[in-house]
Amino acid sequence: MNLLGVLMEALVSQSINTIKTTLIWLLRTTWIVGTLPILIASLPSPCLNSFHALLLSFAKRGKIMPSSSHKVSIFQTINLFFNSVAVIWTTTLLMGTWYFAYKSVFLLLLMEIHVLRRLYETFQVFNYSPSARMHIFGYLTGIYFYTAAPLSLCTFCVLEAFNFAADQVAEFKVEGQEMVSVTDFDLWGYMKPLTRLGWCQWAGAVIFAWGWFHQLRCHAILGSLRERGDRTDGYVIPQGDWFEVVSSPHYLSEMILYAGLLVASGGTDFTIWLLLGFVVANLVFAAAETHRWYLRKFENYPRNRRAILPFIY
């Protein structure tokens, strides 16, 4: 029986390793596949103009999306849906890994702080205009992103963590609830993921917080441009914070906070590098079009502003 148990345990372990390897490479492949078309479309070649226009039609949203495209779009306020998905999924992963892998726990905790704020902003900050929409392709990409991004932060341990959690639930069912005592609650044990952090984690947290707070301020500025309940489509030039130097500071701050996640991870996981690469490529591409829209829309638009990188681009 002991030999059989050892063999079964080895088989399960091998199965988990195979699934984990498949999951990691599936995530890496999707980040690469998502990033390459953006990089190709961004090349300054007349031969790629049609491809650039096609990709841009998928990425357009809100004010830069022409009304003629509404037949293949949905209301941008359905951001609420995938922000909710992001919160539920990130919370699930965080709970599953909390007692298992301190590095992943910290990354997921930062991600949780980010997606909770985004959900709050959907309700309380952004006052979308009646014409604010996004392409259905962009919507599906958003759902995938907020599912795959948290998963990319914990790929090396998520299967073992959930297997461990399942074993604990099974043990609880077998032993019965009466076996659980309040005195068994180990508060210090549950705090271990935060007490075992190194300098990389705290340095990454500082970078994350820098981007997070600036995005909070920039979103507040964007939200204040339209009074709640205003049903007009009027637009004004945003002012304040990083809007003084770039047209899309909320995108710049998003790039910074994901860079903070990379630093907090220790920089050894290639999947997180690919996640950051996708975020940067996607947001730079979108910011360039937003900047062009501002220049076309406003004759007095500040010429010293760049699209997303201060003084550079």
Side-chain angles (χ1 to χ4, degrees):
M1 287 297 293
N2 288 338
L3 178 60
L4 180 60
V6 171
L7 290 175
M8 288 297 295
E9 185 176 345
L11 183 62
V12 170
S13 177
Q14 183 64 33
S15 178
I16 289 177
N17 288 334
T18 301
I19 296 173
K20 182 166 66 174
T21 301
T22 303
L23 175 63
I24 289 172
W25 282 105
L26 180 62
L27 286 168
R28 291 179 178 180
T29 300
T30 55
W31 292 132
I32 293 172
V33 169
T35 304
L36 280 180
I38 300 173
L39 296 178
I40 294 171
S42 301
L43 294 174
S45 171
C47 301
L48 297 172
N49 287 346
S50 297
F51 181 65
H52 182 277
L54 175 65
L55 200 62
L56 191 58
S57 69
F58 292 152
K60 283 184 177 180
R61 65 186 66 185
K63 57 182 174 291
I64 67 173
M65 187 171 196
S67 58
S68 61
S69 300
H70 286 181
K71 61 184 179 181
V72 289
S73 66
I74 56 178
F75 284 109
Q76 192 173 1
T77 48
I78 301 184
N79 278 342
L80 171 63
F81 175 71
F82 59 72
N83 282 330
S84 300
V85 169
V87 170
I88 294 170
W89 179 234
T90 304
T91 302
T92 302
L93 291 175
L94 180 60
M95 292 174 63
T97 60
W98 183 266
Y99 210 73
F100 199 83
Y102 69 94
K103 226 180 254 189
S104 290
V105 164
F106 192 62
L107 295 177
L108 289 170
L109 188 59
L110 294 178
M111 190 70 176
E112 180 85 346
I113 293 170
H114 178 49
V115 296
L116 279 172
R117 196 205 74 228
R118 294 296 297 270
L119 182 61
Y120 165 79
E121 290 171 338
T122 303
F123 281 110
Q124 298 294 332
V125 176
F126 292 119
N127 305 313
Y128 296 112
S129 74
S131 63
R133 293 175 175 256
M134 74 163 45
H135 197 284
I136 184 66
F137 183 81
Y139 174 70
L140 294 175
T141 301
I143 294 176
Y144 174 78
F145 177 83
Y146 280 113
T147 302
L151 194 57
S152 296
L153 300 177
C154 60
T155 49
F156 77 95
C157 71
V158 64
L159 293 177
E160 291 90 340
F162 277 107
N163 190 48
F164 172 79
D167 288 343
Q168 295 300 304
V169 172
E171 184 178 343
F172 174 80
K173 288 181 178 179
V174 170
E175 294 183 357
Q177 190 172 356
E178 66 276 3
M179 300 295 293
V180 180
S181 171
V182 176
T183 58
D184 292 335
F185 181 75
D186 181 10
L187 177 61
W188 182 249
Y190 282 99
M191 294 301 293
K192 279 185 178 179
L194 300 182
T195 61
R196 298 169 58 191
L197 301 174
W199 70 268
C200 281
Q201 284 73 53
W202 292 117
V206 170
I207 297 171
F208 175 91
W210 184 41
W212 192 92
F213 281 111
H214 275 286
Q215 189 174 66
L216 175 68
R217 294 182 64 182
C218 292
H219 281 172
I221 291 171
L222 288 174
S224 69
L225 298 181
R226 177 179 291 103
E227 295 292 334
R228 187 162 294 279
D230 185 358
R231 306 303 296 169
T232 65
D233 289 330
Y235 293 99
V236 297
I237 301 174
Q239 305 285 346
D241 203 71
W242 287 351
F243 277 107
E244 300 302 319
V245 289
V246 294
S247 295
S248 297
H250 49 311
Y251 291 165
L252 172 61
S253 52
E254 182 98 353
M255 289 160 48
I256 290 173
L257 66 87
Y258 274 95
L261 290 175
L262 174 65
V263 173
S265 74
T268 58
D269 192 333
F270 187 53
T271 306
I272 301 179
W273 278 98
L274 292 175
L275 167 62
L276 177 61
F278 174 81
V279 169
V280 171
N282 183 53
L283 295 182
V284 169
F285 187 77
E289 180 59 23
T290 300
H291 186 65
R292 285 190 286 267
W293 183 89
Y294 275 126
L295 292 175
R296 292 193 302 266
K297 180 75 174 179
F298 301 104
E299 293 182 359
N300 62 334
Y301 193 72
R303 298 295 167 175
N304 64 308
R305 290 191 192 180
R306 297 294 184 262
I308 191 169
L309 300 176
F311 315 111
I312 299 174
Y313 178 75

